[in-house]
Amino acid sequence: MEIIIISIAAFLVAILTFFSGFGLGTILTPLFMLFFPVELAIALTGVVHFFNNIYKVSLVGRNADKDVLIRFGIPAVIAAIIGSWILVNIPSTEPLFSYTAFGSHFEVYPTKFLISILLIIFASFDLIPYLNNLKFGKSKLPIGGALSGFFGGLSGNQGALRSAFLIKAGLSKEAFIGTAVVVSTFVDFTRLSVYATRFIKSELTDNLGLLFCATLSGIAGSYFGNRLLKKVTLRFIQVIVAILLIIVSLALGAGLI
């Protein structure tokens, strides 16, 4: 049953996240957590995310902005190493707070709560008319890269912060998607290399069938997303990014994902 649920989710989410530049890992991680321990869920999501990105690089990687890749991507990779190392070497922190609602118990951890606050701030840049005209100068790109890479390695939530910065970097829709995909692939490779020390312990190799189905479903979703690319505008992508940023931030802040 988990193979069917996760595969369908990977297909549908991959279509939407092809435009937003994030969301696949954010949504798949809590979905995997319904069936597997947290450490294994993060590792499984990372593998699906990585191979999905490899396919997307073959589709749109040529559109990536090389200057932005250097300014944003290098700090992201370095910070991802630090975040990943913390994840696998330092015990989990205590919840910031917890609560019960609708018969379920929820816990909110400091890292995810901080990410949720940052996402709400960045989402406002695309929804408030005055702020929508602002752009992040290239001098701010290393900061965005470091933030997205660090939190990507630490929690798997790298895409939202990455898109929040890149969508305001003055890129065309093709360059935005291409650059986001290439950076994401580098960060995924980096954090998976660190996670690899735990793969055997987390029984990743016992779930190859699930990984295969989820990966193929994600690739199929990316294929359809690419077919729709010419039919959307940059403004449409900006709005999608902003809406998803708010949804994800609220879910993270509430402890739902």
Side-chain angles (χ1 to χ4, degrees):
M1 178 59 71
E2 61 264 26
I3 292 180
I4 296 175
I5 294 175
I6 291 174
S7 296
I8 292 175
F11 173 76
L12 295 176
V13 175
I15 296 176
L16 181 60
T17 59
F18 186 88
F19 304 113
S20 67
F22 72 96
L24 184 61
T26 304
I27 294 175
L28 285 187
T29 299
L31 191 58
F32 272 120
M33 286 180 183
L34 295 176
F35 306 102
F36 304 100
V38 173
E39 183 180 276
L40 179 55
I42 293 176
L44 288 168
T45 303
V47 173
V48 174
H49 200 272
F50 175 70
F51 284 106
N52 185 258
N53 276 337
I54 289 293
Y55 175 69
K56 288 196 288 187
V57 166
S58 70
L59 294 177
V60 298
R62 63 184 180 278
N63 298 324
D65 185 291
K66 294 180 176 59
D67 185 46
V68 174
L69 278 179
I70 294 173
R71 292 173 178 268
F72 191 92
I74 293 178
V77 169
I78 295 173
I81 295 174
I82 299 173
S84 301
W85 185 90
I86 292 175
L87 175 66
V88 300
N89 288 284
I90 296 180
S92 299
T93 59
E94 294 296 318
L96 187 62
F97 60 88
S98 60
Y99 64 96
T100 300
F102 307 106
S104 299
H105 184 73
F106 300 97
E107 295 181 336
V108 180
Y109 289 85
T111 299
K112 291 188 175 182
F113 188 76
L114 175 59
I115 295 175
S116 71
I117 298 300
L118 291 174
L119 294 185
I120 290 176
I121 294 173
F122 289 131
S124 65
F125 278 79
D126 283 318
L127 294 179
I128 298 175
Y130 171 74
L131 296 178
N132 182 54
N133 294 322
L134 298 178
K135 287 181 168 47
F136 291 144
K138 291 187 176 180
S139 62
K140 303 296 190 301
L141 289 175
I143 299 175
L147 283 174
S148 65
F150 176 77
F151 286 115
L154 182 62
S155 67
N157 294 286
Q158 59 155 317
L161 286 170
R162 182 185 60 244
S163 290
F165 271 85
L166 293 182
I167 199 67
K168 305 300 292 184
L171 301 172
S172 66
K173 65 177 182 180
E174 293 82 5
F176 164 72
I177 293 174
T179 304
V181 166
V182 174
V183 172
S184 179
T185 303
F186 283 135
V187 171
D188 276 347
F189 179 78
T190 301
R191 65 192 184 101
L192 286 176
S193 298
V194 179
Y195 296 163
T197 58
R198 298 294 184 91
F199 277 1
I200 301 301
K201 293 181 181 179
S202 63
E203 301 177 351
L204 183 69
T205 54
D206 293 337
N207 295 278
L208 294 180
L210 172 61
L211 279 175
F212 180 76
C213 293
T215 299
L216 281 186
S217 298
I219 288 175
S222 295
Y223 170 80
F224 282 104
N226 186 54
R227 295 292 297 270
L228 295 172
L229 180 58
K230 293 182 179 179
K231 299 181 180 180
V232 303
T233 64
L234 179 60
R235 182 55 186 163
F236 170 82
I237 294 176
Q238 288 177 318
V239 172
I240 287 294
V241 168
I243 292 174
L244 286 179
L245 284 176
I246 291 175
I247 293 173
V248 169
S249 65
L250 293 176
L252 283 171
L256 299 179
I257 61 177

